[in-house]
Amino acid sequence: MINKAMGQAEYEAFKAKLREWMEAHPEEYAAFEESMNTRDMAGCQAVLLQAIALIPQYRKLTAAKANEGLFNHVNEIEQAAQDNDLARKLIGECEQPVAGSPVPAMLCWLYFGKSFERMVEHCEELRRTPELGYFQKITMSATIRLLIARSIKLGLRTREEWKAHREAMRLAESDQVLDWAMEESSSDKNDSKRKPGRPGATRSLTEMFAPTVSRPEELRRKIGTYLLTRHTQTDIARLKIALEELRYLTLPIPIKPFRDALQEEYGREIRIVHERGIQEAYSRLTEPLLAGKSVRDRGPEAVAIREIKDFLSETNSFNSSE
């Protein structure tokens, strides 16, 4: 909705400002994200109250929408948001934030956090609540479908990412977690085996940076900030492509040592996914298309990778002048 109220350049600048706010207010953002992760849905209630304050008829419209059953759009709510100039109000609160306002953290969470995943999970938990009747369960089902469809349409998620998240949710509900954990441990153990006479030569992340990177510590910090909110297999594949296109890496670097370097650098705070998933995502993104292009050069993927490149290279280039 906000992107519709702006030109593309203005929209990209707005998202860059959100990232700056996020970096400057890590504790405030972390507190908001934690509130959205709790089962009591305290954060969701705060967002709902904010929506009602910005769109007075919001509660009435959502109630009417729920009565439709398996709805597949929220055009009426979007129109009300437009009529109430919601986008400009949100932008204004970000540019001139009021003390205690949740808006900056909320927008950062929506754009850069696991917002869609958490909302889908909350809806699924509600849908499975025994006390709910069919009416509420139908509403939750429709909401889940709409959230997933909208996230894909906006280019904020891919179908592959939703499939992976669905499997993670199924695993969490199953009795197979121990088997899965042991399988992962076995894979890690096998991957760490060395052939006789060929000791492994591991490199740290900064050792993988190209010699022209003049500020390796700053680049390392930027990568860490990115991974705090973007660490799926596709996120990491996009990160590697962005670093390669910026010529920040000594080429070529295979997926496994790159993933291992990220694990060594950030593994205490961030769960770095297995290299198999990263390799699959990387192969998909670099799959050739017509006219010499690849998947990464088209549509939402091109936009996502460009955003990463802008974030990694903003303020000043890390490359020393030639």
Side-chain angles (χ1 to χ4, degrees):
M1 184 173 296
I2 287 179
N3 59 334
K4 292 181 180 179
M6 299 177 169
Q8 185 62 32
E10 189 181 4
Y11 176 58
E12 296 299 333
F14 172 72
K15 288 203 293 184
K17 287 182 179 179
L18 285 180
R19 284 195 181 276
E20 290 175 6
W21 183 93
M22 196 171 168
E23 289 185 30
H25 303 81
E27 293 183 1
E28 191 172 341
Y29 175 77
F32 180 86
E33 188 173 48
E34 184 177 355
S35 73
M36 299 304 293
N37 292 341
T38 58
R39 292 199 67 181
D40 63 8
M41 301 179 68
C44 292
Q45 293 297 326
V47 171
L48 177 61
L49 292 174
Q50 188 71 35
I52 294 172
L54 294 170
I55 309 174
Q57 63 270 49
Y58 180 81
R59 189 187 295 274
K60 181 179 179 180
L61 288 170
T62 53
K65 179 57 63 176
N67 279 317
E68 293 182 13
L70 291 174
F71 56 86
N72 56 14
H73 68 82
V74 286
N75 295 344
E76 302 88 343
I77 299 173
E78 290 181 345
Q79 185 60 51
Q82 185 175 340
D83 293 343
N84 285 272
D85 204 14
L86 177 62
R88 288 296 171 186
K89 288 179 181 178
L90 293 174
I91 293 168
E93 288 214 28
C94 286
E95 293 177 343
Q96 296 180 333
V98 178
S101 171
V103 170
M106 178 184 71
L107 289 177
C108 288
W109 181 71
L110 287 171
Y111 278 102
F112 310 124
K114 291 293 183 181
S115 52
F116 286 97
E117 290 84 350
R118 296 296 89 82
M119 288 188 283
V120 165
E121 290 163 4
H122 280 314
C123 288
E124 181 65 6
E125 287 177 354
L126 287 172
R127 191 185 67 81
R128 295 189 181 197
T129 302
E131 292 78 15
L132 258 61
Y134 281 110
F135 168 71
Q136 291 90 350
K137 290 182 179 181
I138 290 172
T139 301
M140 291 300 104
S141 300
T143 303
I144 289 172
R145 182 175 64 176
L146 185 67
L147 284 168
I148 292 174
R150 189 56 58 90
S151 72
I152 294 172
K153 183 178 180 180
L154 293 174
L156 298 173
R157 300 292 185 275
T158 65
R159 291 189 181 278
E160 289 74 17
E161 287 172 332
W162 277 117
K163 288 177 182 178
H165 191 67
R166 177 186 61 188
E167 292 307 310
M169 290 175 65
R170 286 176 175 173
L171 175 67
E173 287 287 325
S174 74
D175 297 325
Q176 308 301 317
V177 174
L178 185 58
D179 293 337
W180 168 80
M182 292 175 65
E183 179 183 341
E184 288 292 300
S185 298
S186 298
S187 298
D188 292 341
K189 184 177 180 180
N190 291 335
D191 289 338
S192 65
K193 289 181 179 179
R194 308 294 185 186
K195 293 183 179 181
R198 296 184 62 186
T202 59
R203 287 192 290 169
S204 68
L205 181 63
T206 53
E207 288 174 335
M208 293 180 178
F209 294 161
T212 52
V213 174
S214 59
R215 294 184 291 149
E217 287 303 311
E218 179 66 11
L219 179 56
R220 183 183 64 81
R221 185 186 67 80
K222 285 275 189 180
I223 293 172
T225 300
Y226 169 83
L227 289 172
L228 281 174
T229 56
R230 295 288 188 185
H231 42 256
T232 67
Q233 57 195 40
T234 301
D235 292 330
I236 295 177
R238 288 171 179 160
L239 172 65
K240 187 173 189 295
I241 290 171
L243 289 167
E244 290 169 347
E245 292 186 357
L246 289 167
R247 298 185 180 181
Y248 286 172
L249 296 179
T250 54
L251 298 176
I253 293 178
I255 294 294
K256 178 172 170 46
F258 179 71
R259 182 267 175 196
D260 290 347
L262 295 180
Q263 175 66 31
E264 180 67 24
E265 189 70 45
Y266 311 107
R268 292 184 179 180
E269 294 81 22
I270 304 165
R271 180 182 178 273
I272 306 298
V273 297
H274 197 273
E275 69 263 14
R276 188 181 299 112
I278 302 172
Q279 182 64 66
E280 291 173 357
Y282 187 88
S283 298
R284 177 181 62 81
L285 291 172
T286 55
E287 181 181 359
L289 300 173
L290 296 176
K293 298 288 186 177
S294 60
V295 173
R296 71 186 186 185
D297 301 315
R298 300 284 182 89
E301 293 300 343
V303 173
I305 292 169
R306 184 171 65 248
E307 287 179 354
I308 299 170
K309 290 165 64 176
D310 291 344
F311 172 65
L312 294 177
S313 60
E314 66 186 9
T315 63
N316 293 303
S317 173
F318 291 108
N319 284 1
S320 58
S321 58
E322 297 180 359

